Amino acid sequence: MKTNLRIAAILTIATLVFVVHLGAAPAAGLGQAILTPKPPLEPRINGPSVYGGRPGHPFFYRIPCTGQRPIDFSATGLPGSLKLDRQTGIITGSTPNQRGNYVVTFGAKNARGSARRSFKIVVGDMLALTPPMGWSDWYTRYNRVTDALMRQAAEAMLASGMADFGYQYVNIDDCWMVKPGAKDPELDGPPRDASGAIQPNHRFPDMRALTDYIHSKGLKAGIYTSPGPLTCAGFVGSYQHEQIDARTFAEWGFDLLKYDWCSYGTVGGKTLEDYQKPYKLMGAILRGLDRDIVFNLCQYGMGQVSKWGGEVGGNSWRTTDDLGLRKETKLPGFYSIGFKNALHAEDAGPGRWNDPDYILIGYLGNAFKSEESPEPTALNGDEQYSYMSMWALMAAPLFFSGDLRMQYLDDFTLNVLCNAEVIAVDQDALGKQARIVRHTDDEFVLAKPLEDASLAVGLFNLTESSKPITVTWRDLGLRGGHRVRNLWRQKDGGTVDSQYSTRVNRHGVVLVRLIPQ
Ligand code: GLA
């Protein structure tokens, strides 16, 4: 039996290699229409137009920019404490000591043309002025994560072009620490040193070297722990070691912390105060560090976290249980998670985001297998467009958690993840989450006001066949003529002045930006 399995695995790998060699996309997006045109060869600067940092803290930012390399970058008006590498577009140094707004103009020039873009650095208390974007290893690596795999992920984020669209954080989820009672010697060992500092397991020989590597690519590094004695996967948590762990994460050079409730229920109570306590504690510790660490709360929405997550120092908070564990009903699981998350629109804003969980498309791993076994998402193309549109309209943190390796990251998946106009809706500086315009058994309509007075509108068809969907200006609170920009196709439609109607595929979406004329 085992031999048969091995032969089957070898055959599968051989087929995959063959398919990749032929240049065809593997099955994740097979047969699905790629709607978005490829970015042009001339430079296009992407990413947010505002960025928050605390005074005097380490600063680094890689200007996300598509276009043919080499590109010559410039940054006019850059504060004296910051320095740009013109070749890579990576800015390093420290945030100015003086609070206030610093308006910089980025430039990018190549053999084909040039681009400019304004970028405001807001020096103050707030981080994550736009929703954080990146990759988390969880749904690919589970308890198989290693230093080498995280380095490969950072490399893949550049090689795939994702970083040029603003994906920035490379996050280690659970399972980097020691697992008490583990049979696997790689996961075993003393959980803490004599001073109480947490020790990574043998798969992470040198955390500082790992974050240095990730930073050298212009990317940021995220880490994970639990306020409980153990993480959800049974690894060592931070209970009663909150101070020392936060300091250790800062010394190691991490830029984001996911703080996952997990076993905290075994040591804490169930009142609102109990729910807040561990996050308040860690939030205060993080604020006192000499490093900017974006704080991601993960406690599945208990005690209406969206109402107080920001007050305890959170920059984002999961509003529901795990998307990956969701049982599919009539519609795939991301819809019900999205519907729930959409209810908290008024609690979101710059520096404080509702988090409906990772983007699970492309190839995903399996928690229950000891070996890697990436499998394509069961979502069809229309469902994937709906997923990404809903997340962008809800100003959700955009963390892809599928396989980043080139043989699994097919063109269709990349097209869903990397549409600059869709991402711009998510990253819009106004920081508003879309409001629910309509939610019936058949239709879901979201509308997100944007900084330039335009309105992003998503029309989702929840039925089993294609149908027309209409929104009136009265539904949307609009007046007068608006140009219709189809964001997935990046194409202008006509001007409309009292309603917008369109046919939408089964389980699909039409995502438009209505621009006042
Ligand atoms: C919980 C979280 C997931 C992931 C796992 C890790 O289930 O919700 O996102 O972090 O723990 O064990």
Side-chain angles (χ1 to χ4, degrees):
M1 186 62 190
K2 264 206 168 139
T3 327
N4 280 348
L5 275 178
R6 206 164 289 147
I7 291 170
I10 290 167
L11 282 177
T12 314
I13 290 166
T15 316
L16 269 175
V17 170
F18 182 60
V19 167
V20 169
H21 263 279
L22 284 179
L30 206 64
Q32 304 294 340
I34 290 185
L35 297 180
T36 305
K38 284 227 175 306
L41 292 173
E42 63 262 26
R44 284 252 178 100
I45 301 174
N46 298 310
S49 63
V50 283
Y51 182 95
R54 298 199 174 118
H57 285 189
F59 178 104
F60 57 89
Y61 184 80
R62 176 183 183 274
I63 303 171
C65 183
T66 57
Q68 179 183 299
R69 264 47 183 185
I71 291 179
D72 180 24
F73 288 95
S74 62
T76 324
L78 201 64
S81 59
L82 298 175
K83 202 172 138 257
L84 167 77
D85 179 320
R86 296 186 62 144
Q87 240 177 14
T88 58
I90 299 174
I91 299 169
T92 51
S94 57
T95 313
N97 290 321
Q98 195 80 32
R99 287 165 181 265
N101 294 345
Y102 297 78
V103 179
V104 182
T105 304
F106 290 154
K109 209 166 160 190
N110 68 9
R112 304 288 181 139
S114 63
R116 288 162 78 76
R117 175 116 185 237
S118 166
F119 183 76
K120 186 164 75 184
I121 303 172
V122 181
V123 181
D125 295 317
M126 290 201 354
L127 308 179
L129 295 182
T130 64
M133 292 175 64
W135 179 79
S136 160
D137 80 280
W138 183 243
Y139 284 98
T140 304
R141 305 301 185 191
Y142 295 96
N143 65 358
R144 301 178 292 266
V145 64
T146 65
D147 172 290
L149 291 172
M150 292 309 299
R151 287 172 192 245
Q152 282 169 24
E155 288 159 12
M157 202 117 108
L158 293 188
S160 65
M162 283 179 67
D164 297 338
F165 289 87
Y167 291 91
Q168 196 183 19
Y169 290 90
V170 182
N171 290 355
I172 313 174
D173 205 276
D174 203 344
C175 308
W176 59 266
M177 341 56 181
V178 164
K179 182 171 189 176
K183 291 198 189 74
D184 185 339
E186 283 190 356
L187 304 180
D188 203 6
R192 295 181 178 276
D193 70 10
S195 71
I198 192 153
Q199 305 287 293
N201 65 42
H202 297 292
R203 294 176 182 167
F204 289 90
D206 186 342
M207 282 295 198
R208 180 75 227 192
L210 174 57
T211 66
D212 280 348
Y213 186 76
I214 293 173
H215 292 154
S216 74
K217 305 277 171 206
L219 302 171
K220 301 188 182 195
I223 195 154
Y224 167 107
T225 185
S226 170
L230 293 177
T231 67
C232 299
F235 288 62
V236 171
S238 291
Y239 182 56
Q240 293 183 328
H241 293 85
E242 295 81 2
Q243 271 285 355
I244 192 166
D245 284 1
R247 257 189 288 127
T248 304
F249 300 152
E251 276 161 24
W252 281 344
F254 283 99
D255 309 295
L256 179 147
L257 173 66
K258 173 172 171 181
Y259 207 37
D260 194 351
W261 180 269
C262 301
S263 68
Y264 188 79
T266 62
V267 293
K270 283 207 161 83
T271 67
L272 181 60
E273 219 170 85
D274 295 327
Y275 289 147
Q276 293 178 339
K277 194 174 161 195
Y279 293 99
K280 234 184 213 166
L281 175 63
M282 184 53 87
I285 295 171
L286 293 180
R287 260 196 311 276
L289 296 174
D290 54 8
R291 183 173 188 86
D292 289 349
I293 298 189
V294 165
F295 190 25
N296 172 221
L297 277 49
C298 179
Q299 47 84 290
Y300 337 116
M302 293 185 301
Q304 285 201 291
V305 65
S306 64
K307 297 283 175 225
W308 51 264
E311 276 158 44
V312 300
N315 298 112
S316 61
W317 40 82
R318 283 267 303 278
T319 52
T320 69
D321 48 8
D322 294 17
L323 206 160
L325 300 176
R326 179 95 344 190
K327 289 259 178 310
E328 318 262 305
T329 49
K330 199 181 79 177
L331 289 163
F334 76 85
Y335 285 100
S336 59
I337 297 267
F339 297 154
K340 274 197 188 172
N341 190 74
L343 297 172
H344 309 294
E346 64 190 32
D347 301 325
R352 37 190 300 159
W353 311 105
N354 291 310
D355 176 5
D357 212 348
Y358 299 135
I359 297 175
L360 305 183
I361 61 172
Y363 275 74
L364 301 157
N366 189 319
F368 304 106
K369 296 196 175 153
S370 55
E371 281 163 35
E372 300 248 333
S373 51
E375 286 186 21
T377 172
L379 301 177
N380 70 32
D382 283 310
E383 291 162 347
Q384 296 182 49
Y385 286 122
S386 292
Y387 196 158
M388 186 73 187
S389 302
M390 222 184 264
W391 264 231
L393 285 161
M394 295 191 301
L398 297 179
F399 282 93
F400 177 50
S401 193
D403 207 309
L404 275 179
R405 286 170 296 182
M406 287 316 271
Q407 66 269 40
Y408 296 113
L409 202 48
D410 57 290
D411 287 350
F412 184 81
T413 308
L414 274 174
N415 139 78
V416 174
L417 292 171
C418 295
N419 177 318
E421 295 190 26
V422 173
I423 292 173
V425 169
D426 180 82
Q427 294 291 303
D428 187 75
L430 197 58
K432 285 237 191 274
Q433 178 174 332
R435 83 178 165 88
I436 302 171
V437 174
R438 180 183 312 154
H439 189 183
T440 65
D441 285 349
D442 296 349
E443 298 178 6
F444 187 56
V445 179
L446 290 175
K448 181 184 200 283
L450 303 174
E451 199 192 18
D452 67 353
S454 66
L455 188 71
V457 181
L459 305 104
F460 299 85
N461 173 2
L462 311 179
T463 72
E464 293 306 306
S465 48
S466 136
K467 78 189 287 288
I469 301 184
T470 301
V471 271
T472 65
W473 272 202
R474 195 215 282 239
D475 296 334
L476 298 176
L478 296 180
R479 270 167 182 278
H482 283 69
R483 179 161 59 88
V484 180
R485 174 86 174 161
N486 182 308
L487 298 186
W488 281 110
R489 295 181 188 276
Q490 299 189 345
K491 229 165 137 178
D492 278 341
T495 298
V496 284
D497 60 13
S498 61
Q499 64 171 43
Y500 174 66
S501 272
T502 182
R503 182 158 278 280
V504 187
N505 291 348
R506 166 189 179 266
H507 294 188
V509 66
V510 170
L511 176 64
V512 294
R513 187 163 180 152
L514 300 173
I515 305 154
Q517 294 301 289

PDB file of all heavy atoms in Angstrom, residues 364-381:
ATOM      1  N   LEU A 364      -3.371  24.732  -1.417  1.00  0.00           N
ATOM      2  CA  LEU A 364      -3.376  24.791   0.044  1.00  0.00           C
ATOM      3  C   LEU A 364      -2.899  23.462   0.605  1.00  0.00           C
ATOM      4  O   LEU A 364      -3.073  22.409  -0.028  1.00  0.00           O
ATOM      5  CB  LEU A 364      -4.793  25.110   0.526  1.00  0.00           C
ATOM      6  CG  LEU A 364      -5.312  26.447  -0.036  1.00  0.00           C
ATOM      7  CD1 LEU A 364      -6.830  26.501  -0.043  1.00  0.00           C
ATOM      8  CD2 LEU A 364      -4.741  27.621   0.748  1.00  0.00           C
ATOM      9  N   GLY A 365      -2.311  23.525   1.801  1.00  0.00           N
ATOM     10  CA  GLY A 365      -1.782  22.312   2.425  1.00  0.00           C
ATOM     11  C   GLY A 365      -2.832  21.612   3.266  1.00  0.00           C
ATOM     12  O   GLY A 365      -4.024  21.910   3.190  1.00  0.00           O
ATOM     13  N   ASN A 366      -2.367  20.680   4.087  1.00  0.00           N
ATOM     14  CA  ASN A 366      -3.289  19.918   4.914  1.00  0.00           C
ATOM     15  C   ASN A 366      -2.664  19.740   6.297  1.00  0.00           C
ATOM     16  O   ASN A 366      -1.543  19.257   6.426  1.00  0.00           O
ATOM     17  CB  ASN A 366      -3.527  18.550   4.267  1.00  0.00           C
ATOM     18  CG  ASN A 366      -4.639  17.800   4.950  1.00  0.00           C
ATOM     19  OD1 ASN A 366      -4.757  17.812   6.180  1.00  0.00           O
ATOM     20  ND2 ASN A 366      -5.466  17.150   4.164  1.00  0.00           N
ATOM     21  N   ALA A 367      -3.419  20.130   7.320  1.00  0.00           N
ATOM     22  CA  ALA A 367      -2.903  20.092   8.692  1.00  0.00           C
ATOM     23  C   ALA A 367      -2.704  18.661   9.169  1.00  0.00           C
ATOM     24  O   ALA A 367      -1.902  18.410  10.055  1.00  0.00           O
ATOM     25  CB  ALA A 367      -3.879  20.792   9.624  1.00  0.00           C
ATOM     26  N   PHE A 368      -3.424  17.744   8.585  1.00  0.00           N
ATOM     27  CA  PHE A 368      -3.439  16.397   9.139  1.00  0.00           C
ATOM     28  C   PHE A 368      -2.426  15.464   8.485  1.00  0.00           C
ATOM     29  O   PHE A 368      -2.358  14.294   8.800  1.00  0.00           O
ATOM     30  CB  PHE A 368      -4.862  15.824   9.038  1.00  0.00           C
ATOM     31  CG  PHE A 368      -5.846  16.714   9.725  1.00  0.00           C
ATOM     32  CD1 PHE A 368      -6.717  17.513   9.021  1.00  0.00           C
ATOM     33  CD2 PHE A 368      -5.858  16.800  11.125  1.00  0.00           C
ATOM     34  CE1 PHE A 368      -7.600  18.363   9.671  1.00  0.00           C
ATOM     35  CE2 PHE A 368      -6.734  17.652  11.773  1.00  0.00           C
ATOM     36  CZ  PHE A 368      -7.617  18.431  11.045  1.00  0.00           C
ATOM     37  N   LYS A 369      -1.658  16.016   7.564  1.00  0.00           N
ATOM     38  CA  LYS A 369      -0.661  15.172   6.907  1.00  0.00           C
ATOM     39  C   LYS A 369       0.719  15.593   7.380  1.00  0.00           C
ATOM     40  O   LYS A 369       0.983  16.773   7.583  1.00  0.00           O
ATOM     41  CB  LYS A 369      -0.773  15.316   5.397  1.00  0.00           C
ATOM     42  CG  LYS A 369      -2.115  14.806   4.895  1.00  0.00           C
ATOM     43  CD  LYS A 369      -2.111  14.565   3.413  1.00  0.00           C
ATOM     44  CE  LYS A 369      -3.443  13.936   3.005  1.00  0.00           C
ATOM     45  NZ  LYS A 369      -3.787  14.220   1.632  1.00  0.00           N
ATOM     46  N   SER A 370       1.591  14.584   7.567  1.00  0.00           N
ATOM     47  CA  SER A 370       2.927  14.921   8.035  1.00  0.00           C
ATOM     48  C   SER A 370       3.789  15.390   6.870  1.00  0.00           C
ATOM     49  O   SER A 370       4.818  16.006   7.048  1.00  0.00           O
ATOM     50  CB  SER A 370       3.555  13.721   8.726  1.00  0.00           C
ATOM     51  OG  SER A 370       3.515  12.638   7.830  1.00  0.00           O
ATOM     52  N   GLU A 371       3.356  15.092   5.657  1.00  0.00           N
ATOM     53  CA  GLU A 371       4.138  15.528   4.505  1.00  0.00           C
ATOM     54  C   GLU A 371       3.376  16.595   3.723  1.00  0.00           C
ATOM     55  O   GLU A 371       2.164  16.692   3.835  1.00  0.00           O
ATOM     56  CB  GLU A 371       4.402  14.339   3.582  1.00  0.00           C
ATOM     57  CG  GLU A 371       5.526  13.472   4.086  1.00  0.00           C
ATOM     58  CD  GLU A 371       5.502  12.110   3.427  1.00  0.00           C
ATOM     59  OE1 GLU A 371       5.152  12.029   2.241  1.00  0.00           O
ATOM     60  OE2 GLU A 371       5.817  11.134   4.130  1.00  0.00           O
ATOM     61  N   GLU A 372       4.095  17.301   2.910  1.00  0.00           N
ATOM     62  CA  GLU A 372       3.484  18.320   2.073  1.00  0.00           C
ATOM     63  C   GLU A 372       2.546  17.679   1.063  1.00  0.00           C
ATOM     64  O   GLU A 372       2.897  16.670   0.464  1.00  0.00           O
ATOM     65  CB  GLU A 372       4.576  19.029   1.284  1.00  0.00           C
ATOM     66  CG  GLU A 372       5.571  19.689   2.171  1.00  0.00           C
ATOM     67  CD  GLU A 372       5.469  21.179   2.052  1.00  0.00           C
ATOM     68  OE1 GLU A 372       5.044  21.664   0.993  1.00  0.00           O
ATOM     69  OE2 GLU A 372       5.791  21.843   3.030  1.00  0.00           O
ATOM     70  N   SER A 373       1.389  18.244   0.890  1.00  0.00           N
ATOM     71  CA  SER A 373       0.463  17.685  -0.091  1.00  0.00           C
ATOM     72  C   SER A 373      -0.459  18.790  -0.592  1.00  0.00           C
ATOM     73  O   SER A 373      -1.655  18.764  -0.361  1.00  0.00           O
ATOM     74  CB  SER A 373      -0.377  16.595   0.567  1.00  0.00           C
ATOM     75  OG  SER A 373      -0.940  17.114   1.762  1.00  0.00           O
ATOM     76  N   PRO A 374       0.132  19.804  -1.250  1.00  0.00           N
ATOM     77  CA  PRO A 374      -0.705  20.926  -1.682  1.00  0.00           C
ATOM     78  C   PRO A 374      -1.779  20.503  -2.674  1.00  0.00           C
ATOM     79  O   PRO A 374      -1.506  19.724  -3.590  1.00  0.00           O
ATOM     80  CB  PRO A 374       0.282  21.884  -2.338  1.00  0.00           C
ATOM     81  CG  PRO A 374       1.567  21.173  -2.448  1.00  0.00           C
ATOM     82  CD  PRO A 374       1.525  19.929  -1.665  1.00  0.00           C
ATOM     83  N   GLU A 375      -2.986  20.990  -2.442  1.00  0.00           N
ATOM     84  CA  GLU A 375      -4.096  20.670  -3.344  1.00  0.00           C
ATOM     85  C   GLU A 375      -4.779  21.948  -3.786  1.00  0.00           C
ATOM     86  O   GLU A 375      -4.881  22.896  -3.022  1.00  0.00           O
ATOM     87  CB  GLU A 375      -5.106  19.797  -2.615  1.00  0.00           C
ATOM     88  CG  GLU A 375      -4.594  18.395  -2.445  1.00  0.00           C
ATOM     89  CD  GLU A 375      -5.616  17.469  -1.864  1.00  0.00           C
ATOM     90  OE1 GLU A 375      -6.820  17.793  -1.954  1.00  0.00           O
ATOM     91  OE2 GLU A 375      -5.205  16.438  -1.318  1.00  0.00           O
ATOM     92  N   PRO A 376      -5.281  21.964  -5.027  1.00  0.00           N
ATOM     93  CA  PRO A 376      -5.903  23.196  -5.529  1.00  0.00           C
ATOM     94  C   PRO A 376      -7.197  23.514  -4.790  1.00  0.00           C
ATOM     95  O   PRO A 376      -7.909  22.609  -4.351  1.00  0.00           O
ATOM     96  CB  PRO A 376      -6.179  22.894  -6.998  1.00  0.00           C
ATOM     97  CG  PRO A 376      -6.176  21.416  -7.113  1.00  0.00           C
ATOM     98  CD  PRO A 376      -5.279  20.897  -6.040  1.00  0.00           C
ATOM     99  N   THR A 377      -7.482  24.776  -4.648  1.00  0.00           N
ATOM    100  CA  THR A 377      -8.736  25.217  -4.036  1.00  0.00           C
ATOM    101  C   THR A 377      -9.936  24.625  -4.779  1.00  0.00           C
ATOM    102  O   THR A 377      -9.880  24.418  -5.992  1.00  0.00           O
ATOM    103  CB  THR A 377      -8.845  26.758  -4.081  1.00  0.00           C
ATOM    104  OG1 THR A 377     -10.151  27.133  -3.659  1.00  0.00           O
ATOM    105  CG2 THR A 377      -8.635  27.323  -5.479  1.00  0.00           C
ATOM    106  N   ALA A 378     -11.004  24.392  -4.041  1.00  0.00           N
ATOM    107  CA  ALA A 378     -12.223  23.885  -4.676  1.00  0.00           C
ATOM    108  C   ALA A 378     -13.055  25.036  -5.248  1.00  0.00           C
ATOM    109  O   ALA A 378     -14.078  24.804  -5.896  1.00  0.00           O
ATOM    110  CB  ALA A 378     -13.049  23.113  -3.648  1.00  0.00           C
ATOM    111  N   LEU A 379     -12.638  26.272  -5.003  1.00  0.00           N
ATOM    112  CA  LEU A 379     -13.416  27.431  -5.474  1.00  0.00           C
ATOM    113  C   LEU A 379     -13.238  27.603  -6.986  1.00  0.00           C
ATOM    114  O   LEU A 379     -12.108  27.528  -7.482  1.00  0.00           O
ATOM    115  CB  LEU A 379     -12.942  28.709  -4.783  1.00  0.00           C
ATOM    116  CG  LEU A 379     -13.022  28.740  -3.264  1.00  0.00           C
ATOM    117  CD1 LEU A 379     -12.431  30.053  -2.737  1.00  0.00           C
ATOM    118  CD2 LEU A 379     -14.463  28.583  -2.796  1.00  0.00           C
ATOM    119  N   ASN A 380     -14.318  27.884  -7.681  1.00  0.00           N
ATOM    120  CA  ASN A 380     -14.152  28.189  -9.104  1.00  0.00           C
ATOM    121  C   ASN A 380     -13.728  29.656  -9.247  1.00  0.00           C
ATOM    122  O   ASN A 380     -13.640  30.395  -8.257  1.00  0.00           O
ATOM    123  CB  ASN A 380     -15.416  27.837  -9.896  1.00  0.00           C
ATOM    124  CG  ASN A 380     -16.578  28.777  -9.581  1.00  0.00           C
ATOM    125  OD1 ASN A 380     -16.375  29.953  -9.280  1.00  0.00           O
ATOM    126  ND2 ASN A 380     -17.784  28.274  -9.670  1.00  0.00           N
ATOM    127  N   GLY A 381     -13.448  30.055 -10.479  1.00  0.00           N
ATOM    128  CA  GLY A 381     -12.912  31.388 -10.709  1.00  0.00           C
ATOM    129  C   GLY A 381     -13.830  32.500 -10.220  1.00  0.00           C
ATOM    130  O   GLY A 381     -13.383  33.455  -9.567  1.00  0.00           O
TER     131      GLY A 381
END
